[in-house]
Amino acid sequence: MDFKIIDAHAHLWLRQDTEWNGMRIRTLENGRSEFLGEEVQMVPPFMIDGRNSAEVFLSNMNYAQVSAAVITQEYIDGIQNDYLEEVARRYPDRFFVCGMCDYFAEQVAEQAEALAARGFRAIKIPGNRLKTDRQTVQLTEPKMMRLFETMVRCDLLLSIDLDDDASQIAQMEEVLAAFPALRVAVGHFGMPTRATWMRQIRLAHNPNVRIESGGITWLYNAEFYPFAGAVRAIREAADEVGMDRLMWGSDYPRTITAITYRMSYDFVLKSKELTDEEKAMFLGRNAERFYGFRRLVELPYIKNMSE
């Protein structure tokens, strides 16, 4: 490959111990977690202590020849700002980390400004978690609009996963109209297995918006590798907004309970639906420019013992 691979959507935590919508999420053992009322295999079973650390991820990245990764956040993992600040300090050339605010609180703009002062360059909003039985946060309500104004002023990038109905798409269109300078990465590839996904993709007609594919192998898990439906979705999205607006993401580590980390991108490399130049753009070059990576490491291929 004459390009370096960048993962635009991954997660890190040392332990899950939180709740969402009144339900518990906590680390158990053998890679399992108590998750919203059931026990699930949250991470691969060899992560016996449930620690989804930067060092374990770096080992996976090095093996799969992934030079860098963008670490997003999710309410179901608990707010990980303290750990991710440490990760960014220890591995500045390998990880671009997103801070996260408590969007159910009133002072979210002030929280974002404090995160910027700590060195965070992006803020994550898990939009699909902003509706609970007790409260719904609209992206366009006053406190959130103050947040976006603060983000533009502090030059903070927005990483956001939108709900899979149309309501937040319309809200995001309103936000982009009010703050055209806001840089936005929309996650989960717009949820391509849902009816409204192309409306999310069309947000990338805005020059400061990109779409990243974190979770796409989960969305097409029923058809499994080599994820022909996912490749068709990438092709369709590229035809709509241009391949230069699209980026690969793995949604590590949850997705690698079903596949290996390398498999989460090599179905793209092996596809005949995309040109070599399109693969290079999607798998690394677009993210390199959008997130401002400067010193990407060169990773050699290490032969498997079984080869």
Side-chain angles (χ1 to χ4, degrees):
M1 297 178 294
D2 63 349
F3 63 93
K4 296 180 177 66
I5 298 176
I6 297 172
D7 187 342
H9 187 126
H11 299 271
L12 293 175
W13 64 79
L14 294 182
R15 188 169 185 84
Q16 292 176 309
D17 186 10
T18 188
E19 68 171 48
W20 177 76
N21 199 20
M23 293 179 285
R24 189 81 186 274
I25 302 103
R26 65 185 179 95
T27 296
L28 300 176
E29 60 183 5
N30 299 324
R32 299 174 184 175
S33 291
E34 178 185 350
F35 178 69
L36 307 180
E38 62 179 336
E39 184 174 317
V40 301
Q41 193 71 45
M42 182 66 66
V43 296
F46 55 77
M47 293 182 180
I48 57 175
D49 58 2
R51 287 170 60 92
N52 171 33
S53 69
E55 289 73 26
V56 171
F57 190 23
L58 281 169
S59 182
N60 275 282
M61 291 167 63
N62 292 344
Y63 170 75
Q65 295 175 280
V66 174
S67 293
V70 178
I71 306 302
T72 71
Q73 295 202 51
E74 240 277 21
Y75 266 125
I76 61 173
D77 301 328
I79 294 177
Q80 299 290 330
N81 293 333
D82 291 342
Y83 179 52
L84 295 188
E85 183 179 14
E86 175 189 344
V87 167
R89 184 176 66 253
R90 293 177 66 185
Y91 308 106
D93 296 334
R94 303 301 301 274
F95 295 118
F96 178 104
V97 304
C98 300
M100 192 165 74
C101 307
D102 177 4
Y103 303 105
F104 296 101
E106 186 62 31
Q107 305 301 320
V108 288
E110 290 79 2
Q111 291 179 43
E113 191 160 17
L115 288 170
R118 291 169 62 177
F120 285 91
R121 294 184 288 158
I123 297 294
K124 177 60 183 277
I125 298 179
N128 54 326
R129 306 290 181 190
L130 296 184
K131 182 178 181 180
T132 71
D133 293 339
R134 299 184 298 274
Q135 185 179 355
T136 297
V137 176
Q138 306 287 334
L139 297 175
T140 51
E141 63 184 72
K143 71 177 183 182
M144 297 299 286
M145 296 300 270
R146 290 194 300 273
L147 167 66
F148 299 130
E149 181 181 27
T150 298
M151 290 178 65
V152 172
R153 176 169 51 82
C154 295
D155 194 26
L156 290 168
L157 184 150
L158 171 63
S159 172
I160 187 166
D161 302 330
L162 297 174
D163 211 346
D164 55 8
D165 62 19
S167 61
Q168 288 186 333
I169 303 172
Q171 293 171 36
M172 198 67 234
E173 291 168 341
E174 189 174 333
V175 169
L176 291 169
F179 304 103
L182 182 66
R183 293 173 297 142
V184 182
V186 177
H188 296 164
F189 215 64
M191 301 295 288
T193 55
R194 310 298 193 265
T196 58
W197 82 286
M198 190 51 67
R199 282 193 60 190
Q200 290 200 39
I201 297 298
R202 291 189 184 111
L203 292 170
H205 283 302
N206 183 302
N208 287 322
V209 176
R210 301 292 182 271
I211 309 293
E212 45 91 343
S213 72
I216 199 167
T217 59
W218 152 63
L219 291 165
Y220 288 94
N221 184 65
E223 68 176 34
F224 207 63
Y225 188 89
F227 305 108
V231 174
R232 287 193 296 270
I234 294 167
R235 176 76 274 160
E236 188 174 348
D239 291 343
E240 175 65 33
V241 299
M243 189 62 78
D244 62 318
R245 304 295 171 88
L246 309 179
M247 305 180 295
W248 169 67
S250 70
D251 212 358
Y252 174 100
R254 281 178 272 267
T255 48
I256 66 164
T257 57
I259 58 175
T260 68
Y261 185 50
R262 185 185 291 272
M263 288 169 69
S264 68
Y265 76 77
D266 79 350
F267 75 94
V268 174
L269 272 183
K270 293 174 180 174
S271 171
K272 297 180 180 179
E273 301 291 321
L274 307 172
T275 68
D276 289 346
E277 179 61 22
E278 287 174 327
K279 293 173 184 178
M281 295 167 68
F282 181 71
L283 290 173
R285 289 180 183 162
N286 294 340
E288 182 177 1
R289 288 191 294 268
F290 189 65
Y291 294 102
F293 286 102
R294 292 289 180 264
R295 296 181 296 274
L296 292 172
V297 298
E298 190 85 39
L299 295 167
Y301 177 76
I302 303 299
K303 179 182 176 180
N304 287 327
M305 179 185 165
S306 58
E307 288 182 64

